Amino acid sequence: NKVTFFTEIAHEIRTPLTLIRGPLEIIQEMDIKDGKLAKNLNVIEQNTKRLLNLVSQLLDFQKIGADKLSPNYEIVNVTDLLKETVARFEPTFIHNGKSLIVEKAEENIIARIDREAITKIMSNIFNNALKYARKQAIISLNLEKDNFVLTVFSDNERIPDSQAEQIFEAFYQIDKNRQGVGIGLTMARSLALIHKGSLYLDPNRKDGNAFVLSIPLNMNDVAASPISTQQEDWTLSEHLPSSDTAR
């Protein structure tokens, strides 16, 4: 099926990509006078990073599907983590003529989470907003009882209710002309489920699309129990294409 096919390719291309990136970084550290050359090297670097990120996502996707992902829970300042992620994405938003606005972020929200997993969830949601927002994406981070809730709103054409769950299915894409293979939101939701949290499209927002991530603050009970994506009513296997339908 598609998952096996893509992960096998990911394994094959990861090493050559890493070997390309190493010499490229050395060249970029040189005192390059030619502005055009420097610009082209930067383009190569950005695309190499994008490919390595995609490879990483595919390999993580395979681990999640096989219940082989081992979360590393630690005490994290979620507010600071959000600020770091926004700082990484803001220049790209500006470059694309769009705004990334933090409307509200409660200070010092502390949670016991897998830092890398939550970073990947945030990155996938931000990247989705970057691709589809017309002019802006608006972020808020709040405390709601024993959960932290991150909302990322983008002012693009609203996703129909009939597709609100389909967008979390592996390889599903509303716009076939956009870059990507359609696993980002699937992986993001499965990582949220590992935390006994949730990720969904807010059905009450009619002026655009708002993705809502809700994660428990206290992860002691989760860390002590077996980790599986086969939780609650949603399972990754239900969102994977069968070998009969995969092309």
Side-chain angles (χ1 to χ4, degrees), residues 160-205:
D161 292 339
S162 60
Q163 294 179 302
E165 282 300 309
Q166 285 181 294
I167 59 174
F168 293 101
E169 295 177 0
F171 308 113
Y172 183 83
Q173 291 177 295
I174 293 177
D175 187 349
K176 305 296 183 183
N177 296 318
R178 299 276 183 173
Q179 289 184 332
V181 294
I183 64 170
L185 288 177
T186 310
M187 186 176 73
R189 177 179 267 190
S190 63
L191 290 172
L193 285 173
I194 286 175
H195 285 78
K196 291 191 175 179
S198 61
L199 175 63
Y200 60 92
L201 186 67
D202 187 348
N204 298 316
R205 291 296 297 260

Side-chain angles (χ1 to χ4, degrees), residues 24-25 49 204 215 235:
L24 177 61
E25 290 176 345
K49 284 182 178 179
N204 298 316
I215 300 291
T235 62

Side-chain angles (χ1 to χ4, degrees), residues 146-166:
D146 295 326
N147 287 23
F148 72 81
V149 178
L150 172 69
T151 302
V152 180
F153 170 81
S154 55
D155 61 349
N156 53 310
E157 183 178 350
R158 189 172 181 276
I159 297 171
D161 292 339
S162 60
Q163 294 179 302
E165 282 300 309
Q166 285 181 294

Side-chain angles (χ1 to χ4, degrees), residues 32-50:
I32 299 173
K33 306 294 185 183
D34 189 325
K36 186 175 181 181
L37 175 59
K39 182 178 179 180
N40 285 325
L41 286 172
N42 186 58
V43 171
I44 295 171
E45 180 196 22
Q46 293 301 316
N47 282 285
T48 303
K49 284 182 178 179
R50 184 175 179 277

